Amino acid sequence: MTEDALARQLRALGVREGGVLLVHTSFRAVRPVEGGPLGLVRALRRALGPAGTLVMPTMTDGAAPFDPRTTPTHGMGITAELFWRLPGVLRSGHPGGSFAAEGPHAEAICAPQPLSPPHGPDSPVGRVHDLGGQVLLLGVGHSESTTLHLAEALAAVPYSVSHPTVVVEDGVPRTVMIAETDHCCRGFAAADAWLRARGQQREGKVGAADARLLSARDAVAAAVERLARDPLVFLCAPGAGCEECDVARASVPAPSRRGGWRRGRSSPVR
Ligand SMILES: [Zn+2]
């Protein structure tokens, strides 16, 4: 598959020229591509045009001090790992939940953010949403999408799990607990049905991969609506044998006597 053919497929799928595009991808699903993962990056840039902004997750495990100029990504795939190292690409500074961006909105998307939640309204994902950006899932599903974590933050879901993360303050590294809406994320796959029912998800092939294209606002709106009815809709059922979702369920505070939710056990750390 040539860069040109890939770019045409991306435009046919609905990638907006001049838009903001957040891409989650597994290159293994897309290949073979002329030029490898960098060929895919060039095809994405070509589909977006010079006025477009390309964004990818470059998360790290938080086990060592984070330096956006040197720390490799963790589990984000070869495309994102090569993308953030390219000249002209910016990378945000969150010690666990960083993103890389290139284009007119890159600086705004990568601006400093609170440590918790990593994917809340004031985060790269929140800014892609506010800018009316699109989300491209290329060879991966909604379970790999950070945009639904933004919906969880906006809906103030009652579960929260904290992970130790090294932060550097005044040159001194120390470990803090960062609270996030963590679970196995398999439940995010439900977004396929919600968006298809509303005609808000474009699907097709890009290279050899199954691709999904949606607007971040549509996905967040659909999820927030479901979460208002069932705040635990994304968690595996109790007794389903999912350890991560069991931990998330156990973090839900008991209803207080006044009928509301008590403060979570794990308060955000800033
Ligand atoms: Zn689960």
Side-chain angles (χ1 to χ4, degrees):
M1 185 69 65
T2 64
E3 264 174 56
D4 189 51
L6 275 181
R8 270 186 276 118
Q9 284 181 321
L10 288 163
R11 296 293 297 275
L13 188 66
V15 168
R16 238 185 0 254
E17 188 172 357
V20 174
L21 184 69
L22 168 57
V23 181
H24 292 270
T25 185
S26 164
F27 183 71
R28 211 171 309 163
V30 185
R31 69 185 179 190
V33 174
E34 190 181 74
L38 289 174
L40 173 58
V41 171
R42 286 190 292 266
L44 288 161
R45 296 295 295 135
R46 195 185 291 200
L48 283 166
T53 303
L54 179 59
V55 187
M56 290 190 205
T58 58
M59 292 170 220
T60 47
D61 62 10
F66 174 70
D67 182 340
R69 291 160 303 182
T70 56
T71 308
T73 59
H74 183 82
M76 296 294 108
I78 185 69
T79 313
E81 177 59 27
L82 293 175
F83 174 61
W84 75 259
R85 294 170 184 272
L86 291 173
V89 177
L90 301 183
R91 192 179 188 194
S92 67
H94 193 284
S98 67
F99 282 71
E102 181 189 22
H105 293 291
E107 208 171 317
I109 289 167
C110 294
Q113 67 169 104
L115 284 178
S116 180
H119 310 307
D122 190 10
S123 75
V125 168
R127 293 160 194 154
V128 167
H129 172 267
D130 291 349
L131 288 162
Q134 294 177 301
V135 178
L136 175 65
L137 305 174
L138 197 48
V140 299
H142 285 280
S143 301
E144 273 71 44
S145 177
T146 42
T147 297
L148 295 176
H149 285 303
L150 171 62
E152 291 177 316
L154 292 171
V157 295
Y159 47 90
S160 173
V161 179
S162 295
H163 297 289
T165 305
V166 176
V167 300
V168 180
E169 275 169 14
D170 303 322
V172 182
R174 63 189 183 95
T175 299
V176 301
M177 299 301 288
I178 295 183
E180 58 180 307
T181 55
D182 197 24
H183 47 96
C184 78
C185 297
R186 285 194 291 265
F188 282 171
D192 273 330
W194 304 342
L195 293 171
R196 282 171 188 156
R198 296 163 178 230
Q200 292 175 337
Q201 180 161 286
R202 302 282 300 265
E203 298 181 36
K205 287 282 182 189
V206 172
D210 292 320
R212 296 165 167 84
L213 182 75
L214 47 127
S215 111
R217 282 183 185 155
D218 287 347
V220 166
V224 165
E225 198 182 299
R226 296 290 172 141
L227 287 166
R229 273 182 267 159
D230 176 6
L232 306 184
V233 70
F234 285 135
L235 303 186
C236 297
C242 179
E243 206 174 303
E244 288 165 282
C245 288
D246 286 348
V247 170
R249 273 179 193 278
S251 75
V252 176
S256 75
R257 269 172 292 180
R258 286 181 302 169
W261 296 101
R262 277 205 312 255
R263 268 181 83 84
R265 280 207 307 234
S266 40
S267 307
V269 176
R270 282 171 200 275

